[in-house]
């Protein structure tokens, strides 16, 4: 908090304190964890280490993206063929969008204007206007599209075509004319994707190969795999942390998290003691790991990987996507 001017009136002091409190609230991270087993989302105040709301959504939620610039959270529900739209401030349900035959992966453009959804059984990428919720894009894809990531300029959308063992790169600069501009072969069954804006890379997590394919995107005309990093069994989610120096990857089937030096592309440590870890995200200097089997969110120190705290969630949490947002709750919504 800043300093109060000498001799300031009570009214001025109160105004300054209110302004500082508001600024702190906006910056506070909230984790939106999808609970597939009880059809809810747990809203967790990361700083307070507490669940502050449990929000009903469409049946069996899995994917999630918090879109701060739109003030909304979008949640995919594969069993419901829907995307639930939540107001990040009030935590109320705004809409339920029809999303093909099995909405799974989801991500948003950095400017917050569009949200992209992978339709697993419909074999397509869907795009929605984040403000109006209108569908604005539909692109045919290969079998079982899963994870989605968007480039820093919002012009490209990356989709893991899981059963094709490849990544589709969709040119979305003009939604009305969007198309698959390129494809990159990776290892077996890529699922989650993570875009690294600083290094202009895409990380593809290969579930059956227990590896991460590193795709160099600097040459848009010829993207290519430049490295493959071996991790634990069934990698599911990834996040960049510690100023982008470390890449954290959850390994579902050996209850571990691999920590990779993002420059050297080498595993520097393997963290254990998780319960079927799936979703993972970064909140400031901390890394948040969602444990499907143990129904909890673990909070780790980003630099060391040391566990700092755990918070109970709902049943069978997934948290597949960018689940951390910073929009403060509206008055009375806690």
């Amino acid at each position: 908090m800043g300093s109060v001017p000498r001799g300031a009136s009570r009214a001025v002091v109160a105004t300054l304190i209110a302004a500082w409190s508001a600024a702190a609230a906006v910056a506070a991270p909230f984790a939106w964890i999808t609970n597939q087993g009880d059809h809810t989302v747990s809203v967790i105040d990361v700083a307070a280490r507490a669940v502050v709301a449990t929000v009903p959504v469409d049946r069996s939620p899995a994917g999630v993206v918090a879109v701060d610039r739109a003030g909304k959270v979008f949640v995919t529900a594969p069993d419901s063929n829907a995307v639930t739209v939540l107001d990040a401030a009030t935590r109320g349900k705004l809409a339920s969008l029809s999303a093909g035959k099995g909405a799974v992966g989801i991500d948003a453009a950095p400017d917050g204007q569009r949200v992209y959804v992978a339709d697993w059984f419909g074999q397509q990428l869907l795009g929605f206007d984040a403000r109006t919720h209108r569908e604005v894009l539909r692109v045919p894809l290969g079998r079982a599209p899963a994870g989605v990531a968007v480039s820093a300029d919002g012009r490209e959308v990356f989709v893991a075509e899981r059963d094709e063992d490849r990544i589709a790169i969709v040119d979305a600069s003009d939604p009305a004319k969007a198309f698959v501009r390129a494809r990159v072969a990776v290892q077996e069954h890529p699922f989650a994707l993570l875009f690294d804006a600083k290094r202009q890379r895409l990380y593809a997590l290969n579930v059956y190969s227990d590896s991460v394919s590193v795709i160099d995107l600097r040459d848009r005309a010829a993207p290519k795999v430049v490295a493959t990093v071996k991790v634990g069994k069934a990698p599911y989610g990834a996040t960049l942390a510690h100023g982008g120096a470390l890449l954290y990857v959850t390994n579902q089937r050996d209850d571990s998290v691999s920590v990779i030096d993002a420059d050297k592309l080498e595993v520097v440590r393997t963290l254990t003691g998780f319960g079927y870890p799936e979703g993972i995200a970064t909140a400031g200097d901390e890394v948040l790991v969602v444990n499907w089997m143990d129904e909890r969110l673990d909070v780790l120190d980003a630099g060391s990987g040391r566990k700092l705290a755990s918070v109970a969630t709902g049943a069978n949490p997934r948290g597949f996507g960018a689940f951390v947002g910073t929009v403060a709750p509206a008055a009375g919504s806690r």
Side-chain angles (χ1 to χ4, degrees):
M1 182 180 290
S3 59
V4 176
R6 202 181 279 262
S9 68
R10 289 185 179 180
V12 170
V13 172
T15 300
L16 288 171
I17 291 175
W20 289 327
S21 298
V26 170
F30 293 89
W32 298 75
I33 308 301
T34 52
N35 301 310
Q36 194 168 42
D38 59 19
H39 324 303
T40 66
V41 169
S42 295
V43 186
I44 297 175
D45 183 325
V46 177
R49 317 292 202 221
V51 174
V52 293
T54 300
V55 185
V57 293
D58 287 294
R59 183 175 177 80
S60 302
V64 57
V65 62
V67 188
D68 284 342
R69 292 196 174 187
K72 298 174 183 178
V73 177
F74 294 78
V75 177
T76 64
D79 290 355
S80 305
N81 304 328
V83 173
T84 305
V85 185
L86 303 175
D87 185 306
T90 66
R91 295 163 185 162
K93 182 176 179 179
L94 296 174
S96 182
L97 313 181
S98 177
K101 300 177 182 179
V104 181
I106 187 168
D107 198 15
D111 63 7
Q113 293 187 19
R114 291 204 289 268
V115 173
Y116 299 97
V117 178
D119 178 5
W120 180 280
F121 294 112
Q123 298 183 191
Q124 59 188 340
L125 175 72
L126 304 176
F128 297 90
D129 184 303
R131 180 177 59 85
T132 66
H133 308 154
R134 182 174 61 89
E135 183 183 307
V136 296
L137 177 149
R138 187 177 288 236
V139 178
L141 293 170
R143 293 175 298 161
V148 179
V150 185
S151 64
D153 60 12
R155 292 171 53 190
E156 294 176 315
V157 182
F158 312 100
V159 187
E161 295 176 310
R162 197 196 79 142
D163 289 359
E164 308 280 2
D165 300 337
R166 67 191 184 193
I167 308 303
I169 301 176
V170 176
D171 186 324
S173 52
D174 181 351
K177 300 178 180 178
F179 65 99
V180 176
R181 184 172 51 75
R183 283 186 163 98
V184 181
V186 293
Q187 293 195 323
E188 195 172 4
H189 281 20
F191 190 74
L193 300 177
L194 179 67
F195 178 71
D196 184 341
K198 176 183 176 182
R199 300 175 180 86
Q200 285 298 295
R201 289 179 185 162
L202 185 72
Y203 304 106
L205 279 59
N206 306 304
V207 176
Y208 281 17
S209 298
D210 304 332
S211 66
V212 177
S213 293
V214 182
I215 302 171
D216 189 333
L217 300 168
R218 288 175 295 178
D219 184 351
R220 290 197 172 193
K224 60 183 179 180
V225 174
V226 293
T228 302
V229 183
K230 199 71 174 176
V231 290
K233 294 180 181 178
Y236 183 93
T239 189
L240 285 162
H242 199 46
L246 300 174
L247 175 66
Y248 279 70
V249 176
T250 56
N251 305 306
Q252 287 177 320
R253 295 181 185 171
D254 62 10
D255 299 333
S256 71
V257 172
S258 297
V259 184
I260 299 167
D261 183 310
D263 289 320
K264 296 179 180 179
L265 295 176
E266 299 174 352
V267 175
V268 294
R269 66 179 68 94
T270 299
L271 310 175
T272 58
F274 302 94
Y276 211 78
E278 293 202 342
I280 187 168
T282 298
D285 295 329
E286 298 175 338
V287 172
L288 313 179
V289 180
V290 181
N291 294 271
W292 186 88
M293 193 68 69
D294 290 352
E295 299 180 345
R296 71 173 193 267
L297 179 75
D298 287 336
V299 183
L300 314 180
D301 175 79
S304 66
R306 180 172 59 89
K307 187 180 295 186
L308 303 175
S310 294
V311 182
T313 64
N316 306 132
R318 310 285 316 252
F320 180 47
F323 59 74
V324 173
T326 57
V327 174
S333 65
R334 283 183 176 268

